[in-house]
Structures are given as C-alpha cells and as structure tokens.
Amino acid sequence: MDPSKKFEAGETILIFDELQEYPEIATSLKFFKIDGRYDVICSGSLLGIQYKRIESNSVGYKVDYNMMSMDFEEFLWAKGDKDTDIEDMLWHMEKELPFNETEMKVYSSLFLDYCILGGMPAVVREYIAKGTFEGTLDIQRQLLADYREDIRKYAEGMDQTRILNVFEQIPAQLSKDNKKFQITKVASGARFKDYCGCIEWLKDAGIVHICYCLNFPELPLNGNYDDTKYKLYFFDTGIFVAMLDEEAQEDLRANKNLGVYKGALYENILGEALTKCGYGLYYYKKDDSTLEEDFFVRTKDYLLPVEVKAKKGTAKT
C-alpha cells in the first residue's frame, strides 16, 4: 500500500476487475452503497454463471449492465467514419430509399468487413491500427481458446465435455439448410435431457443466443414456443467466422465468396443485432411444409416477421 495515495470521499472510484474469480465481492456492494463515500465499478466475464455462487447479491444496491461487442454503427465510429455519413445511411433505410451504386458498393464492403471481424474491441483495434485484416484472425482464435479454457475452468464435471461438444458443433449445424440445432448430431447417443443444461450454460455465459421455435406465429410470445426446438447463434459473428476452416476464411476475406456459410453468416449477424436491440429471438417452421420465418420482432400490438435472404428471392407466406 502506497501511503501517499488517499481515498477521498466523493472523488474516488474503486474498480474490481475479473469479478468472476471472486464473485463474492458482489456481496460487498450493498455496504459500499450504504456507506456512500466511494463509487464502485465491477467488471468480469461469465458473470451469469458465477453469480450462482453468491449468497447475497446486493439486490437493490447495484445496477447491472450487459456489455456486448460493438454493433455496426459503433464499428463505423471506431473507424472514424463521419456522423453525417452514418446518419445518411440510416436516413436512406428509414425512408426506404435505395443507395446509389457507389454508396451501395462502399457500404456493402464495410458491412462485410464488420461481419468477418465482428465487434470484439481487440479485433477492431488491430484492424484499424493496421488498416488490413492482418493479425485479426490470430486475436479471434486466441479469444476462442480463452472461451474453451473458461469452459474447462468454470463448468463442472462431465458438463465440460458436453458444453465443448455443443460449442464446437454450432458452425457446422448453422451451415445446413435446416439450422435447427440437433442434439443427436453432437455426440453418439446424445439425448436432449443430458445436453439442455449445457446449452443454458453457454447462454448464461453470454457465448450463444438461443432462438426458439414458436408453436404459432402470433402473440403472445411467452409460453408460445417449444423449448426443445431452437437455433443457436454466436454472440459475435466474427467469432463464428473465426471457427470456420482455413479455406472458408480465405474465401470470405480475399474472394468475398461466402459459400455454404452465406445464409448462416447473415442469420447470425441479424440474430446478434436483434439481441443487441433488446429483442428475444424466435423463429417459426411448420413441420409438414417448407414454410419458415427466420425471426420475429414484436411491437406493442403486432408481431412482425423478419426474413433473412442471402440472395435475391421471395419469402413464402
């Protein structure tokens, strides 16, 4: 302790990082709040899982914020794009006015760059600093290694292997026409009852988003979905892209050829965007037909279908 440093009431912020290592610190927040002399900020990953270890979570004495990776607008801010250009892009979409050919080419290229990179700050920082994709894949793969290590570190018992099996299977299952996640494809003899907790673990850890299948495409949403039918999307599309094979990486970056992952990429990016806007994820697929709707957005009175198209075409209604 440096005796020259002083905690001055009303002028001091205490920051506790890596809270997941010592989640019991959350219990002390009540007493800091009651004391009132110092502001306190806590940060950490996988808190949705580690909070379960806390006996008293200072309910009513703290405010929780879920920090997500950058969205496309934040990505453009980070790149230094002018606010007027971003506002003009939004104005065109709100007014449903087409971009001119030059604008479309520039914005499409920027959006594809964002899809490939994702919004993890370290990845975006490397991209901006070098002006190229050089080094970004290495950072993404290190992040993936860290997530795998976290699963081994924080998951208990046999669930470690099962959670990792689910995690590794997501890209392959998203690449299929039927993107519903199938537990039977995860491992030989795999059963839903053995793996449903693993999927919830990944959701609570903030690694995946679950998109449930509606029983009927109508309101209300709560209670109107089948919790055994769902799609899994990654929290950050760049992390999803980093899990693809080397050839797919080269096609995406150099050749702009998305191949079999084209639909999966755009579905994941939209699922990510809807989640960042605070929407729950739901889809609909009729068992006895090809009728399917990718997502739904609810307003106060209506349920609006959202169709993701990787190429020109029409949606069945």
Side-chain angles (χ1 to χ4, degrees):
M1 178 70 71
D2 186 343
S4 67
K5 301 294 190 297
K6 297 181 180 180
F7 293 142
E8 296 186 12
E11 299 293 333
T12 302
I13 296 177
L14 304 178
I15 300 176
F16 298 102
D17 196 13
E18 302 297 334
L19 189 63
Q20 73 275 9
E21 296 289 345
Y22 304 98
E24 293 80 6
I25 290 175
T27 302
S28 69
L29 298 180
K30 174 180 178 180
F31 305 104
F32 278 113
K33 179 68 174 180
I34 293 172
D35 181 278
R37 288 178 294 169
Y38 312 114
D39 293 321
V40 179
I41 296 175
C42 297
S43 63
S45 58
L46 306 183
L47 294 183
I49 295 165
Q50 293 302 90
Y51 267 1
K52 296 174 183 178
R53 286 172 40 192
I54 303 172
E55 293 184 8
S56 176
N57 198 14
S58 299
V59 176
Y61 295 91
K62 63 182 178 63
V63 179
D64 291 331
Y65 295 95
N66 186 16
M67 303 297 291
M68 300 183 181
S69 61
M70 298 179 191
D71 61 23
F72 183 49
E73 184 178 17
E74 291 167 331
F75 171 74
L76 295 177
W77 288 341
K79 282 184 75 283
D81 286 37
K82 297 178 181 178
D83 286 343
T84 52
D85 292 339
I86 298 171
E87 290 167 0
D88 181 67
M89 191 186 307
L90 178 61
W91 180 82
H92 273 82
M93 290 186 285
E94 289 178 336
K95 298 297 183 180
E96 298 181 3
L97 296 175
F99 298 109
N100 63 43
E101 186 175 344
T102 301
E103 290 171 333
M104 192 65 188
K105 183 177 181 179
V106 170
Y107 294 151
S108 294
S109 180
L110 284 171
F111 186 68
L112 183 56
D113 284 354
Y114 170 69
C115 290
I116 295 169
L117 291 164
M120 298 298 283
V123 177
V124 175
R125 182 172 60 245
E126 185 77 4
Y127 168 75
I128 292 172
K130 294 185 175 178
T132 68
F133 287 104
E134 181 186 356
T136 58
L137 181 57
D138 292 335
I139 295 174
Q140 289 171 321
R141 286 182 170 165
Q142 182 58 55
L143 288 169
L144 282 167
D146 292 342
Y147 283 121
R148 292 181 178 105
E149 182 58 31
D150 282 341
I151 292 171
R152 296 185 185 97
K153 184 174 183 179
Y154 296 112
E156 299 177 355
M158 287 294 295
D159 280 350
Q160 295 177 8
T161 301
R162 289 172 178 167
I163 292 169
L164 282 168
N165 285 344
V166 171
F167 180 74
E168 303 293 352
Q169 268 285 314
I170 297 173
Q173 297 214 24
L174 277 179
S175 70
K176 300 181 183 303
D177 290 335
N178 178 13
K179 295 178 177 60
K180 185 185 80 169
F181 194 83
Q182 297 175 284
I183 293 294
T184 55
K185 303 293 185 182
V186 173
S188 177
R191 296 176 298 178
F192 174 78
K193 69 175 184 177
D194 296 326
Y195 278 83
C196 60
C198 301
I199 292 162
E200 288 295 327
W201 193 98
L202 289 168
K203 175 180 177 292
D204 290 343
I207 296 174
V208 304
H209 301 308
I210 304 177
C211 182
Y212 288 107
C213 183
L214 292 174
N215 295 318
F216 304 99
E218 60 188 25
L219 295 174
L221 296 177
N222 287 337
N224 180 26
Y225 63 88
D226 187 339
D227 62 5
T228 68
K229 295 180 181 179
Y230 47 83
K231 302 176 186 178
L232 296 182
Y233 298 109
F234 284 100
F235 78 99
D236 181 84
T237 302
I239 294 298
F240 163 52
V241 172
M243 293 186 73
L244 307 182
D245 56 69
E246 293 285 351
E247 290 75 13
Q249 289 285 330
E250 181 65 21
D251 280 344
L252 284 167
R253 286 189 162 89
N255 304 323
K256 309 300 184 185
N257 176 23
L258 308 181
V260 298
Y261 293 103
K262 192 170 187 177
L265 181 74
Y266 286 131
E267 274 198 36
N268 201 100
I269 199 73
L270 185 54
E272 179 188 340
L274 291 174
T275 301
K276 287 175 178 177
C277 291
Y279 293 105
L281 300 184
Y282 301 93
Y283 77 102
Y284 177 72
K285 181 172 177 58
K286 197 170 182 180
D287 289 335
D288 58 354
S289 76
T290 58
L291 179 63
E292 183 173 6
E293 200 63 57
D294 296 315
F295 297 103
F296 290 90
V297 173
R298 73 155 301 163
T299 65
K300 181 180 178 181
D301 301 309
Y302 300 102
L303 187 64
L304 305 177
V306 179
E307 179 76 10
V308 180
K309 284 294 182 186
K311 56 185 180 180
K312 292 183 179 179
T314 58
K316 294 183 178 181
T317 58

